[in-house]
Amino acid sequence: MTTERVPTLDAYIAAAKGRLMIVYDVKDGSQRETFAHIEKAGAADEAIFFYECVDQMLARAIAPFRDRVVTIPIMFGKDGPLAPAVARCPSNPAGWAHVKWSDGDWIRDVAADQAHHPVRLWTATMFPQDNAGEDDALALKDPDAVWGAQIRAGARMIMTNQPTALMRYLRKPAGS
């Protein structure tokens, strides 16, 4: 046990204000209340809200403030081809999607479709269940097979627990 208290949401927002963006992956129906705290702190331009594309309750919950913060729908490979899902689930700014997939061919299909239906992808490599096993552990062994493949598929944001290794990979000259 500890005598330390868990900081409030307002304390987190205040600590981050002007320094970094916070991702809010709220799934309990408190999106409007959470946004009210963000807006009160004047931090709407430093907030990113995720919502699951297939969850209409979450989509409705963020609709009243979607145009005042960055909102990125989470889309799963099992939801089918990416382009129709992006059309169904708006983001702000338009054309963004946080993607998770369990079939390695899905991300390659997304890459092949980018010329016809460009989407700016947000991916995550921390957990193998989010990316068909193409995770940080594999990226440390073969960064081009993981991070490179995601970038070629349209990834513009990659969440990782290996930021130093990712930055090293990104700094390498092409083809080396």
Side-chain angles (χ1 to χ4, degrees):
M1 292 305 253
T2 179
T3 58
E4 302 260 342
R5 295 182 55 86
V6 174
T8 64
L9 177 59
D10 290 330
Y12 274 110
I13 295 169
K17 189 163 174 34
R19 297 177 56 222
L20 53 96
M21 295 185 80
I22 298 177
V23 173
Y24 299 87
D25 193 358
V26 182
K27 293 183 173 59
D28 66 356
S30 66
Q31 290 84 351
R32 289 181 191 177
E33 179 184 350
T34 300
F35 180 72
H37 286 268
I38 294 164
E39 195 167 48
K40 181 178 136 199
D45 59 344
E46 299 171 359
I48 299 171
F49 272 79
F50 282 159
Y51 73 97
E52 291 185 8
C53 179
V54 296
D55 189 326
Q56 291 304 308
M57 189 256 335
L58 294 177
R60 283 191 303 274
I62 67 164
F65 57 86
R66 180 186 353 253
D67 62 339
R68 297 186 306 204
V69 298
V70 173
T71 53
I72 301 176
I74 300 172
M75 299 175 190
F76 299 86
K78 66 182 180 195
D79 296 337
L82 187 59
V86 169
R88 276 192 324 271
C89 302
S91 65
N92 180 31
W96 277 89
H98 176 19
V99 294
K100 298 181 179 188
W101 63 97
S102 57
D103 174 3
D105 289 334
W106 185 83
I107 195 71
R108 287 177 270 291
D109 292 344
V110 168
D113 197 39
Q114 281 288 11
H116 301 95
H117 301 99
V119 178
R120 295 174 65 99
L121 303 180
W122 180 308
T123 63
T125 56
M126 293 93 60
F127 309 110
Q129 66 271 20
D130 288 347
N131 48 46
E134 297 169 357
D135 63 350
D136 284 342
L138 183 58
L140 291 174
K141 296 174 190 161
D142 190 351
D144 194 60
V146 176
W147 296 321
Q150 292 179 16
I151 291 165
R152 288 186 293 278
R156 297 297 173 261
M157 299 284 284
I158 299 175
M159 287 190 294
T160 178
N161 284 335
Q162 300 295 330
T164 303
L166 175 57
M167 293 305 296
R168 190 177 323 116
Y169 170 73
L170 292 172
R171 288 186 188 115
K172 280 187 171 182
S176 66

